[in-house]
Amino acid sequence: MRRRMEIFRLVLAKWLPVVAVSVIMFLSQGCERGSDAPRREQGPNGNGGKEEVKPPTSSGGERPGPSDKDFDFSAELADGVVRYDGRGVTLRFDRAGVLVKIHADGARELIDLDGQTKVRFVAGKMRQDSLFDGSRLTVDGCDIGLKSVRMKKQTAEAVWYHAVDGDERSHILVLP
């Protein structure tokens, strides 16, 4: 009997960690999923596979697309600091060494004196639907092809812009 107990302890000591790890891995597989409901996969055009047919506005322009609907802008609206955030570049006027320059042609520049980063933005002409025509954005001398620019908020101190480039990346601009 003593011999059997000895063998049982050896087997248990050898296999218990393997069984414990296997059980933990098996149970953790279900933790990665947030819901049992199937997720809707994005289609090739990035809007859930739906055909995007947008009727024109009364002025003949396009209505906002999916990129305008998906981005939650509430945190940006709560922050009134003059800034640019996009494509891995963040310039904030409340940080030392960042200057704002307003040109006679209406262009706004944010310049980082330490890192030599420069962002230049021209809003263009605003339409009735808060979208802009003729907007230009330059980051470190490189033109960013903008798909859309929308004014989100305007106060006496600043204007909040949400720009979307051709790669569907967002650019946040809060400018005087």
Side-chain angles (χ1 to χ4, degrees), residues 94-105:
D94 61 348
R95 295 188 183 145
V98 176
L99 301 177
V100 177
K101 187 175 182 182
I102 302 172
H103 296 272
D105 65 353

Side-chain angles (χ1 to χ4, degrees), residues 19-29:
V19 171
V21 169
S22 298
V23 168
I24 290 171
M25 289 177 59
F26 176 77
L27 292 176
S28 68
Q29 291 295 322

Side-chain angles (χ1 to χ4, degrees), residues 16 28 42 46 53 64 103 132 135 141 151 153 156 171 173 176:
L16 183 62
S28 68
Q42 293 289 327
V53 178
H103 296 272
F132 285 79
S135 301
M151 181 179 67
K153 180 180 176 180
H171 302 263
L173 297 118

Side-chain angles (χ1 to χ4, degrees), residues 87-99:
R87 290 229 177 190
V89 175
T90 301
L91 295 176
R92 294 179 58 94
F93 187 65
D94 61 348
R95 295 188 183 145
V98 176
L99 301 177

Side-chain angles (χ1 to χ4, degrees), residues 1-124:
M1 180 72 169
R2 186 174 269 176
R3 176 83 174 140
R4 284 187 186 172
M5 288 300 285
E6 194 96 298
I7 292 173
F8 180 74
R9 271 192 241 152
L10 286 172
V11 169
L12 188 61
K14 184 176 181 179
W15 290 101
L16 183 62
V18 173
V19 171
V21 169
S22 298
V23 168
I24 290 171
M25 289 177 59
F26 176 77
L27 292 176
S28 68
Q29 291 295 322
C31 295
E32 292 178 6
R33 297 185 182 130
S35 172
D36 289 337
R39 290 189 176 178
R40 187 173 184 175
E41 295 296 323
Q42 293 289 327
N45 59 358
N47 66 352
K50 295 186 280 183
E51 291 294 322
E52 186 174 345
V53 178
K54 299 182 282 186
T57 61
S58 58
S59 63
E62 282 189 22
R63 294 197 182 270
S67 58
D68 292 325
K69 297 173 193 164
D70 295 341
F71 191 80
D72 180 17
F73 211 78
S74 56
E76 280 73 20
L77 292 174
D79 185 359
V81 174
V82 172
R83 67 188 180 281
Y84 167 79
D85 189 10
R87 290 229 177 190
V89 175
T90 301
L91 295 176
R92 294 179 58 94
F93 187 65
D94 61 348
R95 295 188 183 145
V98 176
L99 301 177
V100 177
K101 187 175 182 182
I102 302 172
H103 296 272
D105 65 353
R108 308 287 199 253
E109 271 187 324
L110 292 169
I111 304 163
D112 181 8
L113 298 177
D114 293 336
Q116 300 298 318
T117 301
K118 185 188 291 188
V119 174
R120 181 180 173 97
F121 178 71
V122 177

